[in-house]
Amino acid sequence: MNPNDVLAALPLGVLTAVTMTMLLLDLFGLCTSRLLWGLSACFLAWVFSCTQFYISEVGFSGLVFVDGYTTVLSTLILAGTALSLLLSHKYLGLQRAQTSIDVDVLILLAAAGGLVMVAAAHLIVIFIGFELLSVCVYVLTGIARKERASAEGALKYFLLGAFSSAFLLYGMALVYGATGTMFIEEIGQVGGPDNVLLLIGIGLLIFGFGFKVSLVPFHLWTPDVYQGAPVSVTTFMAVVVKTAAFGTFLRLMYVAFGGMTEWWEGLIWTLCVLTMTVGNLAALRQSSVKRMLAYSSIAHAGYALMGFLALGPAGGAEATVFYLLAYGLMTVASFGVVLVATAGSDAQYGNDDISSLSGLGFSHPFLGVVMTVSMLSLAGMPPLAGFMGKLYLFSAAINSGFVGLAVIAALNSVVSLYYYLRVLVVMYFSGERTLSWAPPRGLEWAPKASLGLVTVGTVFFGLFSYLCYPAIEVAIKSLG
Amino acid sequence: MEVTQFYLVLGAVLFTLGTLGVLIRRNTIVIFMCIELMLNSVNLTMVALSRQFGEVSGQVFVFFVMAVAAAEAAVGLAIIMTAFRNYHSVRTTDVHDLAG
């Protein structure tokens, strides 16, 4: 075993070892503080993944990358996992979901799948990470199994997820057939654009990843699944699954197919415009808060995709990674408020009409502030993180000559302002000062900490984005 | 060379049949079987290519696909069961509350 293998294995090994220990201790009734165990697993895995930051090599005979990109994406995944664990603490019971240790274990194992994916340097490893993540999340979606909505969401997610991974696999098979190798760096060296098999393979891979990050037209599952799943699981899906899939997708396009951008640029451009526009227009006419946020997350996937068109010196890859950070922060905040505000009521599965938030700003001032910051950031208001993220993306797109795309994205941002501000209007100006239904119990410290952290983060990374941008630049440099 | 091409064509045909099945059928169990058909067509393609190139990574991939398909089947059938308990049906047209 050479030192790189150890560095690559440590974060994953620690995360899975702690998770397995939790399961074992729970068997004897000894795992008393699941939250503490889960958080320390995330923290330890993060510490070990930091050791790879300044390296740019491969481990396990070329199967995984040991580089800064892995570190940065692992940081996002683990932070998202920790925040989801904090949010689900004590709240799963209120969501009529299973409260046993399975939930925490599945969340941690899904995070391990995400870590495998973003480090993968070989098609088999990408596939294994992808499925480890997906299978855990299928189960998590249906974890409130007495709820019709949860069961329906799980069924839809499972069937469409398995369908899309078949496409991903067939894409991998065709790429292998065209290039004779499964190492993504070698694919980049061997592959030429005159190869029809390779082009079809790339198309199918984009289909598979497009499903996971919910690009239009592969987005049809997203609103139903986001609405049907317990809100703490929805948060995890919207943040961690999307970050891991986007991170892997970006690495694949950059390393394996970065030399033939002119052959897939048109496809990505179309997907990008469709995703932004359809996501925003559909969000306009939603009455359910969860569905509205689901369509908004589709629209944001469209923005993040803009970076794929400006790889290299234009700075698109950096902008996409920064956008994933900003998107994660604001999404945890918005779904977190919905979770806390609807917990224990019928509003959490289906009846979460936007008017159920009326008066929230006065009855729960803390939640009001968190929601306000998150909505303004999602709408792209300066000086919040969402604004800086869009600024980087738009300027990257303009740098590489996609002015039209930047204009379409800016128009979309204006449209999105309407439905984000509607939430604020309902919260503060509906004339009500109390919630219309029985308010949830006093706020637990764990979700409060989670919501506070992401709100501070949204403001901080908006004002001081230049503090974290160099780290992202190191990461993208390590891609080669 | 020609033999490999036959297997590739067979793989593509099976994959298309599976895709059509997923899109047309309404029974979730049958849809799930069609997905398995798609996975197996990928396996066939992988093995044929691996044989063509004279190296093993395609065949190793097949083992992983089979293992993952087994895990997916376990989870998937459990999810279909949960849906059946709530809706007393496994047809996609019946399991359909969420929309908007």
Side-chain angles (χ1 to χ4, degrees):
Chain A
M1 243 185 155
N2 73 40
N4 284 339
D5 297 358
V6 180
L7 288 184
L10 265 177
L12 262 172
V14 168
L15 188 59
T16 8
V18 176
T19 314
M20 292 304 155
T21 316
M22 281 168 75
L23 264 181
L24 204 62
L25 286 179
D26 188 64
L27 202 58
F28 305 104
L30 292 173
C31 189
T32 43
S33 177
R34 283 145 50 181
L35 181 64
L36 195 66
W37 276 93
L39 290 183
S40 39
C42 292
F43 180 71
L44 283 176
W46 175 69
V47 169
F48 284 117
S49 80
C50 284
T51 54
Q52 313 179 3
F53 187 60
Y54 286 109
I55 311 174
S56 183
E57 283 172 48
V58 288
F60 290 104
S61 352
L63 288 178
V64 292
F65 286 110
V66 182
D67 59 6
Y69 187 75
T70 312
T71 306
V72 168
L73 264 298
S74 304
T75 308
L76 295 181
I77 290 172
L78 291 167
T81 311
L83 291 168
S84 312
L85 285 176
L86 277 171
L87 273 183
S88 63
H89 178 65
K90 297 249 169 107
Y91 271 85
L92 280 166
L94 285 173
Q95 298 172 68
R96 302 181 207 132
Q98 297 275 87
T99 49
S100 59
I101 196 164
D102 313 358
V103 181
D104 302 62
V105 167
L106 284 170
I107 287 185
L108 289 170
L109 287 180
L115 297 193
V116 174
M117 261 172 104
V118 294
H122 191 273
L123 295 182
I124 296 184
V125 185
I126 294 184
F127 171 67
I128 292 171
F130 195 86
E131 288 298 321
L132 179 53
L133 181 73
S134 305
V135 171
C136 291
V137 180
Y138 300 150
V139 181
L140 280 170
T141 309
I143 205 81
R145 50 180 192 185
K146 299 251 163 70
E147 288 292 332
R148 287 163 71 94
S150 182
E152 182 186 341
L155 186 66
K156 286 183 172 167
Y157 194 30
F158 167 72
L159 287 177
L160 291 172
F163 183 58
S164 77
S165 43
F167 275 91
L168 185 84
L169 273 177
Y170 200 53
M172 286 178 175
L174 294 186
V175 169
Y176 173 60
T179 58
T181 175
M182 289 202 193
F183 292 97
I184 63 176
E185 275 184 321
E186 286 179 19
I187 293 172
Q189 290 151 11
V190 178
D194 50 343
N195 196 329
V196 182
L197 211 54
L198 184 61
L199 291 180
I200 301 175
I202 295 175
L204 291 174
L205 284 174
I206 291 177
F207 180 115
F209 278 106
F211 174 87
K212 268 293 146 198
V213 301
S214 50
L215 302 177
V216 177
F218 319 121
H219 70 293
L220 291 167
W221 59 279
T222 314
D224 289 354
V225 175
Y226 277 24
Q227 190 183 6
V231 195
S232 17
V233 175
T234 311
T235 318
F236 182 78
M237 254 193 289
V239 176
V240 176
V241 177
K242 209 169 247 199
T243 308
F246 243 118
T248 317
F249 191 22
L250 180 62
R251 157 120 68 194
L252 192 67
M253 294 318 258
Y254 198 112
V255 178
F257 310 124
M260 40 192 298
T261 41
E262 67 274 23
W263 291 90
W264 47 263
E265 238 168 33
L267 179 58
I268 293 281
W269 191 91
T270 319
L271 289 177
C272 191
V273 171
L274 272 178
T275 308
M276 285 191 281
T277 316
V278 174
N280 276 319
L281 292 182
L284 280 179
R285 44 175 286 271
Q286 297 304 319
S287 57
S288 148
V289 188
K290 274 164 96 181
R291 284 186 93 82
M292 188 272 275
L293 289 175
Y295 278 113
S296 124
S297 102
I298 294 173
H300 284 276
Y303 297 132
L305 197 64
M306 284 169 75
F308 283 59
L309 295 167
L311 301 180
E318 288 89 341
T320 296
V321 174
F322 182 81
Y323 203 73
L324 289 178
L325 165 72
Y327 164 80
L329 290 169
M330 13 198 223
T331 308
V332 171
S334 51
F335 278 113
V337 170
V338 174
L339 164 70
V340 178
T342 59
S345 76
D346 278 332
Q348 49 191 340
Y349 292 107
N351 309 321
D352 54 340
D353 191 272
I354 203 159
S355 61
S356 66
L357 290 179
S358 59
L360 184 75
F362 296 103
S363 68
H364 296 72
F366 174 71
L367 296 183
V369 170
V370 173
M371 198 62 165
T372 308
V373 172
S374 137
M375 286 297 132
L376 291 179
S377 177
L378 282 168
M381 286 289 183
L384 301 166
F387 168 74
M388 290 312 291
K390 276 187 187 148
L391 193 66
Y392 288 128
L393 280 171
F394 291 3
S395 58
I398 291 169
N399 279 344
S400 57
F402 290 97
V403 182
L405 185 66
V407 171
I408 296 175
L411 287 176
N412 263 298
S413 282
V414 176
V415 171
S416 72
L417 203 57
Y418 170 75
Y419 62 86
Y420 290 128
L421 290 185
R422 196 173 56 166
V423 175
L424 301 189
V425 170
V426 166
M427 275 195 326
Y428 285 105
F429 304 110
S430 59
E432 307 216 14
R433 301 214 144 228
T434 48
L435 289 172
S436 51
W437 37 278
R441 301 187 305 185
L443 211 51
E444 298 277 351
W445 68 270
K448 212 171 191 171
S450 174
L451 291 177
L453 274 177
V454 290
T455 308
V456 172
T458 311
V459 179
F460 179 85
F461 286 114
L463 290 172
F464 305 107
S465 58
Y466 57 86
L467 290 179
C468 71
Y469 219 67
I472 295 174
E473 277 167 352
V474 170
I476 300 298
K477 238 175 230 124
S478 74
L479 284 179
Chain B
M1 181 62 200
E2 289 88 34
V3 182
T4 313
Q5 275 178 354
F6 284 129
Y7 281 110
L8 294 186
V9 170
L10 178 61
V13 170
L14 285 177
F15 191 83
T16 316
L17 282 179
T19 312
L20 287 177
V22 172
L23 297 176
I24 291 169
R25 301 303 295 261
R26 289 286 168 263
N27 186 322
T28 43
I29 309 250
V30 178
I31 294 179
F32 187 48
M33 283 159 60
C34 291
I35 292 173
E36 294 290 315
L37 182 64
M38 292 165 78
L39 293 182
N40 282 322
S41 77
V42 173
N43 284 350
L44 185 65
T45 312
M46 284 284 190
V47 172
L49 289 169
S50 180
R51 179 103 182 136
Q52 164 86 17
F53 294 135
E55 54 123 39
V56 291
S57 58
Q59 295 177 37
V60 174
F61 205 137
V62 170
F63 278 108
F64 282 105
V65 174
M66 288 197 293
V68 167
E72 253 183 8
V75 165
L77 291 176
I79 288 176
I80 293 177
M81 280 256 290
T82 322
F84 182 76
R85 284 206 182 130
N86 282 291
Y87 288 87
H88 304 290
S89 164
V90 290
R91 297 180 68 79
T92 48
T93 40
D94 298 331
V95 187
H96 194 73
D97 279 356
L98 302 169

